[in-house]
Amino acid sequence: MTFQPKIVGFLCNWCSYTGADLAGTSRIHYAPNVRIIRVMCSARIDPTFVLKALHDGADGVLICGCHPGDCHYSEGNYKMMRRYPLLKSLLADYGIEQERVRLEWVSASEGQRFADIVNDMTERVRALGPSPVKAALEADLAER
Amino acid sequence: MDDLKIGVFVCNCGTNIAKIIDCDAVIDSVERLPYVAVARTYKYMCSDPGQDMIQADIEEYGLDRVVVAACSPRMHEPTFRKALQKAGLNPYFLEMANIREQCSWVHDDPVAATEKAAALTAAAVMRVAHHEALERRSVDMCPNTLVMGGGIAGMSAALDLADAGNRVYLAERSDHLGGNVARTDLTAPYLDSARDMLTERITRVVEHPNIDVLLESQVRKVDGFVGNFQTTIRGKADDGAPTDTVYDVGSVVVCTGYKEFDASRITHYGYGKLPNVVTSFEFEKMLRAGRVTTKEGKAPQYVAIIHCVGSRNLEFHAYCSRVCCMTALKYAHEVKSAVPGAYVSDIYIDMHAFGKGMEDFYRRSSEIKTLFLMYEKNDYPVIRKADATDDCDMLIEVNEILSGETIEMPADLVVLMVGMEAREDSEEVAHLVNISRDKDGWFIESHPKLDPVATTTDGVYIAGACQAPKDIPDSVAQARAAAARILARTARGKIEIDAVFSEVDEDKCSGCRMCNELCPYVAIEFDAEKRRSHVISALCKACGACVAACPSGAITARHFTDKQIFAELEGVLA
Amino acid sequence: MAIRANPKLITELEIYGAQDVSKCYHCGNCSATCPFSKEPYIFPRRSMRSLQMGLEAKLESDLEPWLCYYCGECSTECPRDAQPGETMMSLRRWLTARYDFTGIARLFYLSAKAEILAVILVALIAGAGFLLYGFSQGDITQYGGPDAFLPAASVHIFDWTLAVVLLALLGTNCARMWWFTVGRDTKVHVPLSAYVRKIYLLPMHFFTQMRYAKCEQKRPWVLHLVLMLSYVTMLILIMFFLESMWSGPAVNWSVHAFGLAATAGLLVTTIVFLRKRLKKSEVQYQQSHETDWMFLVLLIVVAATGLLQFTLHRLGLNTAANINYVIHMMAVVPMLLLEVPFSKWSHMAYRPLAMYFADLKAEAMVSTEREPVRAPQAA
């Protein structure tokens, strides 16, 4: 049985969520491993969301926003852009592989691009295997 | 929360969802979730019987929350919110799970798709339990409108709005009205005069008491929100110095039009090198002057028209510019009447004669003995100068498909049908009014089929060629549609805006003021006395930037709270 | 190598009858519906295209116009009313003009007046000639015998001279046709043996018109076959049995039976065709060129005066018979001298030749395809 990674996607309402919808209306198929959660803007995404997702069993987290310059709220994606390197270095400290968390810019007309990103990410995370967080939590539980 | 009752409704959407997703299996899996009082499927949830079913269940089971697993919330969230409202439930007690656009339509494995649908529905169930009742706010709707662009679309929108008694500010960058139609002589397919059409429009616009025509004016800023925009327009004062004026408007209609493709980018047509190769707009100039001649001043014996210059071309623009085919036929007719003995050849890929009267126009163009030569996409004709001994100025080599031969067509004058492109200032305009552009630079509409004039920014509408290449009838239709949308709102005097905004819990706020600088709408003010930050709800657009940044966790994004998102995560990863 | 298009050609072809060809937008319905359109000869669309673009050299070398029998199905099916049937007919007229090296055919097709004038001129010269000859050596009241106004033997010599001239003219035209359609085609080479092997096709097509029989409607084939066989019968009788035909006034049934049958055939079919053209009863008769009328009118005059000849001779009205014969020849001579090499009647040679050449070329094309074009790659 091939390992099926569970990936959580945080998509901003205006660009990337609409782009994902466009992939749908265009019937562009992609891997079923991403579960999407809608936020109004990528700026809303607290780093704790990413950590919570990993804690709850996600093997990967995908964050999508509007292309820089095109944010519906003017600069929200820049804020995400600033938080992201800090988040990544935190993950590195925890020993979580970099490829598990990914930030991509997807516009409302980029249905195909969204599908390509999901497929690519699914394969990369699949290659990494199940998230080490799950194993660590189980081990921790077993110890107690 | 113990007595919470959640109703779950899974839509089949005909076969759109049911074909791939086992809706009954989804029902089975969500029934086990806490607080789920009823779970059922139906063919078309958005239909009247579907909505009646939801309302009936709300009454019968005393439901507090409703989950609808169906299409994208961008499609029907308002529909279902209304259904809840009718049944006496706060509309924000609804959560939708997108199991169509983001599930059944994009996956082909029924098992995986059903599993995902169940997870998304569970997430919605877990989230909705934390929803709070929110009230929509009602704000005044300013009846004024800013129309950006004084072309045929802009003027048409302005007239409808002004005729209904509303003030319109028509801002035009250049020094005249009429846009690209003013550069045209006649129009296809009935060969009406563009000038007559425009004169009627321009006269009415200029004389209309409700329209302020602002020529040589540029929109510099658009602040505010729907019903309450403040726009700064830079015009010219009497002494010629630039001067900024602020206008209050309730809506904005963007009608900035298009620009034409630069034909010199295609070298094998020789534009810019061969003097008798001209663009369609240059040809219009000749037609308006009433003289169709070569650069040397002679009447051309052979005229060739080439379609798809810069359009339908992967190297430049993959899209079709829509109007050029019929315009080319218009030129065939105009050449034949200006130079009766001339031989006209029309060199095309496909003949797009889609509209009213167009197929007939195509047939009539054949009847006047236009020679149609078909070439294949990516196998372009090449123009070269003919020998001095030849009876023509240039020869066009075409791999002609209808005959299967490679031929050389004589031409004394070649007209290149250059395509439409997004204007260079379209990026600037998009940022001004906060709308998006697609990969070709055209402004994006709310929904390509069902909502072609609204945009993602409430109160801002787009009309005409700036949205996508189109002809005059469609531009006018869109412009008048935008006007109608605006009038529907101004007629009410007030509009409802979303109840979603962020608020600061003053007990938790430490007064660090980190949020103040983050807000792009300057919606957070600092109360120096209380030493607390406070969100001005009327200005807040609920992006959530401040929420994520607050180190004290003092700001809550209504309807997108941490608790709600965490619950959603649990549901999705269960 | 790019072929130079000549958009002016169509202006000339309009006079030949192709006024509607510009309307064709190449849907291909006509070629799809044509019962004869088959690889490698697909028509009429391809021919219409070559004409629209003015590819003269290509049109000149095409056999397709002769493979068409104008059943009119294509014109019926055409959604743009581009008249493909009539276009093929006008191409036949144009080719007739092209095969002729003298330029007289072109003159006739482009100017109805020229043809009428030529016919009248030749008729008058023939009439004058015969009268002069008659008066110079005979008695107008004498039909047969030593003082015959127009002795059969002399007429016989005249007829054969005329035949030789005709054959020479028609022969050169046919040679030119061969050159245009087969000879100068560098892509297809027909070996001499094939010409010999398939020579039977010429008389076969000429006498049976069997291809015409394959059209959906059978009646046109029947009518045309009767007309043609009637004419051929008359031709044989006159060329080889003139003295027997001339005998009388008693009826010489062994020849006169054939003569009468042939004349009846000619009269009936010509009248039927004239009526169809006048009434525009079917698609193929809706548009008539001046050359179409001239051909039928001359034929009917020839047949009618021929029958009258027979009648007058039986009745012993010698003077009337002689005068009628002069009138008969005033119709026959222009019909043969002008119609056969320079106008519509030339199709009697071009059509069977086209069948023959088409068969030869098709066979040659297949065998060319079977041979490898390049040497196979080294393993």
Side-chain angles (χ1 to χ4, degrees), chain C residues 185-322:
Chain C
D185 188 346
T186 49
K187 281 185 251 159
V188 179
H189 173 70
V190 180
L192 191 58
S193 55
Y195 284 104
V196 175
R197 195 171 19 98
K198 298 239 170 184
I199 196 78
Y200 69 91
L201 285 173
L202 279 175
M204 185 180 84
H205 280 295
F206 185 83
F207 285 107
T208 63
Q209 324 246 294
M210 51 186 276
R211 213 155 163 276
Y212 204 176
K214 297 215 178 81
C215 287
E216 276 180 40
Q217 302 285 333
K218 301 294 179 234
R219 190 172 316 161
W221 167 67
V222 170
L223 281 171
H224 190 266
L225 192 64
V226 169
L227 173 63
M228 197 223 67
L229 287 175
S230 304
Y231 182 74
V232 169
T233 309
M234 280 316 296
L235 184 72
I236 294 173
L237 288 172
I238 291 179
M239 297 307 278
F240 298 102
F241 299 100
L242 191 65
E243 260 96 1
S244 312
M245 290 287 287
W246 217 262
S247 64
V251 177
N252 183 350
W253 286 111
S254 57
V255 286
H256 285 146
F258 287 101
L260 282 170
T263 311
L266 276 173
L267 276 172
V268 167
T269 52
T270 329
I271 290 172
V272 167
F273 282 129
L274 264 170
R275 271 190 89 228
K276 280 188 197 270
R277 279 201 185 272
L278 283 165
K279 283 207 165 152
K280 302 184 191 229
S281 55
E282 279 130 47
V283 179
Q284 56 268 51
Y285 302 117
Q286 271 162 8
Q287 299 182 54
S288 299
H289 194 261
E290 294 78 27
T291 49
D292 299 324
W293 294 117
M294 181 62 81
F295 181 58
L296 285 172
V297 164
L298 282 174
L299 258 177
I300 212 174
V301 171
V302 163
T305 49
L307 185 60
L308 190 58
Q309 188 64 26
F310 179 75
T311 319
L312 289 172
H313 193 199
R314 297 311 131 223
L315 294 174
L317 300 164
N318 289 346
T319 315
N322 277 325

Side-chain angles (χ1 to χ4, degrees), chain A residues 8-12 16 42 45 50 61-65 80 84 87 101-106 121:
Chain A
V8 173
F10 289 99
L11 267 52
C12 81
S16 37
S42 53
I45 301 167
V50 177
V61 178
L62 172 66
I63 304 167
C64 291
M80 185 64 224
Y84 186 65
L87 174 64
V101 176
R102 182 163 161 176
L103 173 64
E104 289 284 354
W105 309 122
V106 175
M121 183 157 183

Side-chain angles (χ1 to χ4, degrees), chain B residues 301-302 343 348 359 362-363 366-374 390-392 395 397 400-403 405-410, chain C residues 1-11 14 18-20 22-26 45-46 49-50 52-55 58 79-80:
Chain B
Q301 191 179 49
Y302 302 106
Y343 293 97
Y348 70 105
E359 187 61 37
Y362 179 28
R363 190 183 46 80
S366 281
E367 281 171 11
I368 59 164
K369 312 235 191 293
T370 309
L371 176 60
F372 288 100
L373 302 172
M374 187 193 262
D390 226 319
D391 74 336
C392 60
L395 284 168
E397 188 175 300
E400 211 280 322
I401 304 181
L402 296 172
S403 61
E405 307 279 354
T406 304
I407 59 156
E408 278 187 331
M409 193 67 209
Chain C
M1 216 29 244
I3 309 177
R4 167 67 183 265
N6 176 16
K8 292 180 172 170
L9 182 68
I10 224 176
T11 319
E14 276 176 22
Q19 306 99 303
D20 299 304
S22 297
K23 296 181 195 165
C24 168
Y25 63 179
H26 298 281
R45 188 190 73 79
R46 203 183 274 174
R49 191 54 178 160
S50 303
Q52 281 179 336
M53 299 203 299
L55 305 182
K58 188 160 193 300
R80 273 275 186 100

Side-chain angles (χ1 to χ4, degrees), chain A residues 13-14 17-18 21 24 27-32 34-36 38 41 43-44 49 52-53 69 72-73 79 83, chain B residues 72-74 77 98 101-102 105-108 116 119 431 434 456-457 518 520-521 543 547-548 560 562 573:
Chain A
N13 179 57
W14 303 100
Y17 193 89
T18 310
D21 273 354
R27 309 294 196 277
I28 301 172
H29 284 205
Y30 52 84
V34 172
R35 313 270 157 95
I36 294 168
R38 183 167 73 132
C41 180
R44 174 72 187 90
F49 293 178
K52 169 101 171 114
H72 183 81
Y73 301 103
K79 288 156 189 151
R83 283 179 205 142
Chain B
S72 170
R74 296 181 62 86
E77 193 167 57
N98 187 338
E101 279 87 333
Q102 292 178 4
W105 274 356
V106 290
H107 304 313
D108 41 33
K116 177 167 160 174
H431 285 163
N434 201 8
T456 47
T457 299
L518 282 178
Y521 304 99
C543 67
V547 180
F560 285 90
D562 286 355
L573 290 167

Side-chain angles (χ1 to χ4, degrees), chain C residues 123-140:
Chain C
L124 287 174
I125 293 174
F130 274 101
L131 281 172
L132 275 168
Y133 180 76
F135 282 124
S136 71
Q137 56 83 64
D139 184 355
I140 198 166

Side-chain angles (χ1 to χ4, degrees), chain B residues 10-11 17 21 69-71 97-104 117 120-121:
Chain B
V10 179
C11 186
I17 294 176
I21 295 175
C71 50
N98 187 338
I99 61 170
R100 190 182 74 168
E101 279 87 333
Q102 292 178 4
C103 197
S104 72
L120 291 172
T121 313

Side-chain angles (χ1 to χ4, degrees), chain A residues 47-105:
Chain A
T48 51
F49 293 178
V50 177
L51 297 175
K52 169 101 171 114
L54 290 167
H55 175 277
D56 284 354
D59 298 299
V61 178
L62 172 66
I63 304 167
C64 291
C66 309
H67 286 269
D70 291 340
C71 177
H72 183 81
Y73 301 103
S74 169
E75 309 156 350
N77 48 5
Y78 290 139
K79 288 156 189 151
M80 185 64 224
M81 237 163 82
R82 291 202 290 257
R83 283 179 205 142
Y84 186 65
L86 298 171
L87 174 64
K88 293 287 251 169
S89 82
L90 187 73
L91 292 173
D93 288 345
Y94 281 148
I96 295 171
E97 300 95 320
Q98 292 293 293
E99 297 210 309
R100 289 192 189 275
V101 176
R102 182 163 161 176
L103 173 64
E104 289 284 354
W105 309 122

